[in-house]
């Protein structure tokens, strides 16, 4: 018999959420086979079984928060079914737990077959037994019909006379009347919300803006994109230009590439640039390592690989830790202007926006040019206005004269 334990995830991560059980009680599991998927603050992690055998017990339900080191399942000796039909799962669960199960109320005993046919999480089934509730009488919220702990608790509360009597006649709007829909925030979304709020509360964040004439970058890209693709098998985008410009500006203004540690300012002598990527689960920021040492093709290749891993939910913790500065591009969604929020302990983040043709004074003439607003949010505790404005002005000048950018890289 072997315990399935929540493994060490990362130095800063102490807990996770059961996202999905890949095996159910009664299922056979091989040594090294995935048994559960955990959702953490940053990535999803699949946990393997260290022993071969049969899953005899699940000690946490999908959606439960679990701690590093916590036992969440038990694998016993023997062989079982590799099928995962709900009825088979329920029967295996009941057989294993039968010696310990308290006597159920008569209604549960009389309808045991119905209970076995009901799809329910292990925790919900256990709670129903303890309360003497027939699972087949519960109306689950889950559209797939799976009964969870909260469904059992709600059913029990509804049957309690005292609680029912004290409920006001006109309470909160019912969700099933179509006026509202309640959705539990994912663990990642909760973490994003908490950390963004912490940044706003713990930093002296300000934002400075500028605009970039994208004419020359767009012309250079148009001339070279086919040759670039033929030589490197990767497309030439705008992000590599911005990454190179940011690195050059960070070298000129090193405090923008730093962080606060207590009463110390730690200036980073490396250039690991975070590239914000939007996924269904929320925003993630994988890192392009040593961007100062990479050419345009290497940067574009890294960004493409990391973005695909992010969308496929395959990012590792190592892909997102240790960045020194972040670039986020709201322009892909059509944003014209925004104020990006600092990422973690970093003191600077560059916001790109959509390219829009606008009338611009060029000498004594008015011309229509493709313009982009850019924003630098920074921690004023470390960076003064002079450095923030100078940093953004450097990025602007390099992008408006991309030949200089190529020479500097």
């Amino acid at each position: 018999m072997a315990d399935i334990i929540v493994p060490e995830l990362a130095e800063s991560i102490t807990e996770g959420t059961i996202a999905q059980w890949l095996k159910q009680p009664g299922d056979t599991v091989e040594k090294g086979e995935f048994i559960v998927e955990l959702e953490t603050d940053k990535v999803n992690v699949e946990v393997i079984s260290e022993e071969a055998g049969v899953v005899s017990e699940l000690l946490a339900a999908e959606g439960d928060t679990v701690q590093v080191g916590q036992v969440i399942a038990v694998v016993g000796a023997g062989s079982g079914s590799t099928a995962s039909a709900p009825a088979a799962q329920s029967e295996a669960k009941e057989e294993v737990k039968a010696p310990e199960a308290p006597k159920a109320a008569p209604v549960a005993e009389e309808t045991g077959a119905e209970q076995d046919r009901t799809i329910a999480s292990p925790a919900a089934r256990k709670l129903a037994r303890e309360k003497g509730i027939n699972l087949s009488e519960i109306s689950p919220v889950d559209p797939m019909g799976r009964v969870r702990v909260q469904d059992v608790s709600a059913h029990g509360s509804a049957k309690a006379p005292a609680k029912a009597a004290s409920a006001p006649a006109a309470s909160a709007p019912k969700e099933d009347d179509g006026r509202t829909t309640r959705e539990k925030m994912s663990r990642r979304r909760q973490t994003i919300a908490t950390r963004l709020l912490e940044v706003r509360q713990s930093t002296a964040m300000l934002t400075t803006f500028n605009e970039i004439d994208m004419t020359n970058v767009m012309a250079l890209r148009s001339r070279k994109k086919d040759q670039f693709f033929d030589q490197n098998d990767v497309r030439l985008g705008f992000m590599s230009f911005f990454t190179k410009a940011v690195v050059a500006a960070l070298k000129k203004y090193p405090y923008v590439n730093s962080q606060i540690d207590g009463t110390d300012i730690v200036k980073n002598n490396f250039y690991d640039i975070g590239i914000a990527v939007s996924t269904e689960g929320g925003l993630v920021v994988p890192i392009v390592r040593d961007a100062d040492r990479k050419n345009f093709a290497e940067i574009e290749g890294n960004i493409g690989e990391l973005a695909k891993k992010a969308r496929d939910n395959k990012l590792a913790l190592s892909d997102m830790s240790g960045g020194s500065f972040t670039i986020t591009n709201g322009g892909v969604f059509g944003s014209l202007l925004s104020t990006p929020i600092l990422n973690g302990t970093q003191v600077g983040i560059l916001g790109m926006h959509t390219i829009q043709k606008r009338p611009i004074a060029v000498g004594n003439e008015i011309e229509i040019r493709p313009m982009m607003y850019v924003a630098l949010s920074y921690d004023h505790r470390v960076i003064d206005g002079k450095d923030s404005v100078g940093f953004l002005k450097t990025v602007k000048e390099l992008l408006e004269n991309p030949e200089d950018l190529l020479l500097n890289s």
Side-chain angles (χ1 to χ4, degrees):
M1 184 171 292
D3 293 335
I4 303 299
I5 299 174
V6 178
E8 292 287 343
L9 300 168
E11 184 177 351
S12 60
I13 298 179
T14 60
E15 62 182 20
T17 300
I18 303 291
Q20 179 183 8
W21 282 107
L22 306 177
K23 294 289 185 178
Q24 293 291 333
D27 287 353
T28 298
V29 60
E30 301 296 332
K31 182 176 181 180
E33 189 176 4
F34 294 125
I35 189 170
V36 64
E37 182 181 5
L38 296 177
E39 183 183 52
T40 72
D41 297 352
K42 297 180 179 180
V43 295
N44 284 25
V45 178
E46 291 177 320
V47 180
I48 65 170
S49 174
E50 299 291 346
E51 300 291 339
V54 176
V55 179
S56 59
E57 188 175 8
L58 303 183
L59 303 177
E62 292 178 359
D64 285 355
T65 297
V66 292
Q67 307 293 321
V68 170
Q70 180 178 336
V71 178
I72 54 175
V74 178
V75 174
S79 61
S81 171
T82 56
S84 56
Q89 297 165 10
S90 300
E91 291 167 4
K93 173 68 178 177
E94 295 302 319
E95 289 174 6
V96 173
K97 294 296 292 181
E100 301 177 13
K103 292 184 178 180
V107 64
E109 291 177 355
E110 294 170 0
T111 57
E114 293 181 6
Q115 296 227 121
D116 284 345
R117 288 194 295 269
T118 302
I119 306 173
S121 70
R125 196 173 291 278
K126 179 175 182 293
L127 182 61
R129 284 200 306 270
E130 293 173 352
K131 291 180 175 291
I133 296 175
N134 183 356
L135 286 173
S136 63
E137 295 179 355
I138 297 175
S139 299
V141 175
D142 188 340
M144 300 300 292
R146 183 180 177 88
V147 178
R148 300 179 184 274
V149 171
Q150 52 266 42
D151 299 320
V152 179
S153 299
H155 183 82
S157 299
K159 292 178 67 176
K163 292 184 180 180
S166 63
S171 56
K174 294 181 179 180
E175 294 184 10
D176 58 6
D177 65 2
R179 292 170 61 86
T180 61
T181 301
R182 185 180 298 274
E183 178 180 334
K184 183 176 177 61
M185 292 175 70
S186 68
R187 179 165 198 86
R188 191 166 304 154
R189 177 60 61 186
Q190 293 178 48
T191 301
I192 290 171
T194 299
R195 290 185 175 175
L196 290 178
L197 185 60
E198 287 175 353
V199 168
R200 294 299 299 266
Q201 293 176 337
S202 63
T203 64
M205 196 183 82
L206 293 178
T207 305
T208 186
F209 302 92
N210 212 319
E211 61 179 352
I212 299 173
D213 184 346
M214 298 291 289
T215 301
N216 293 333
V217 168
M218 294 175 71
L220 177 60
R221 178 174 176 267
S222 180
R223 292 196 309 270
K224 298 294 185 181
K225 63 180 182 180
D226 292 338
Q227 179 184 348
F228 186 88
F229 183 78
D230 291 340
Q231 292 178 347
N232 303 291
D233 197 29
V234 64
R235 299 192 182 280
L236 179 61
F238 292 124
M239 194 59 74
S240 54
F241 286 94
F242 274 86
T243 302
K244 279 296 187 181
V246 160
V247 168
L250 290 174
K251 290 180 177 180
K252 188 174 181 180
Y253 297 96
Y255 283 104
V256 185
N257 196 41
S258 66
Q259 62 190 64
I260 292 180
D261 183 13
T263 57
D264 295 335
I265 297 174
V266 180
K267 288 189 286 186
N268 297 313
N269 299 319
F270 57 89
Y271 303 90
D272 289 354
I273 308 301
I275 306 295
V277 178
S278 179
T279 69
E280 290 185 3
L283 197 70
V284 293
V285 188
I287 311 297
V288 176
R289 305 288 177 187
D290 298 317
D292 57 318
R293 302 179 185 177
K294 289 182 167 67
N295 59 32
F296 278 68
E298 291 170 326
I299 291 174
E300 291 289 355
N302 281 180
I303 291 173
E305 292 168 4
L306 291 168
K308 185 178 186 305
K309 288 175 70 175
R311 288 189 291 268
D312 293 343
N313 202 26
K314 298 297 183 182
L315 284 173
L317 292 171
S318 58
D319 291 324
M320 296 186 290
S321 59
S324 62
F325 186 88
T326 295
I327 302 174
T328 181
N329 184 7
V332 296
F333 305 111
S335 172
L336 183 62
L337 191 63
S338 66
T339 302
I341 297 180
L342 295 172
N343 180 26
T345 60
Q346 297 172 18
V347 298
I349 180 172
L350 179 74
M352 299 167 55
H353 299 91
T354 193
I355 299 173
Q356 186 180 64
K357 290 184 177 180
R358 297 197 296 273
I360 299 295
V362 181
N364 294 323
E365 303 294 329
I366 300 296
E367 297 185 14
I368 304 298
R369 294 290 185 95
M371 305 297 294
M372 176 193 287
Y373 287 120
V374 288
L376 174 71
S377 291
Y378 60 97
D379 192 338
H380 205 1
R381 296 177 300 168
V382 179
I383 304 168
D384 293 328
K386 179 182 177 181
D387 278 7
S388 63
V389 172
F391 174 91
L392 206 52
K393 187 170 180 288
T394 299
V395 171
K396 169 185 169 68
E397 290 172 347
L398 287 171
L399 288 167
E400 289 184 343
N401 299 278
E403 289 81 5
D404 293 344
L405 184 60
L406 293 170
L407 291 174
N408 289 336
S409 63

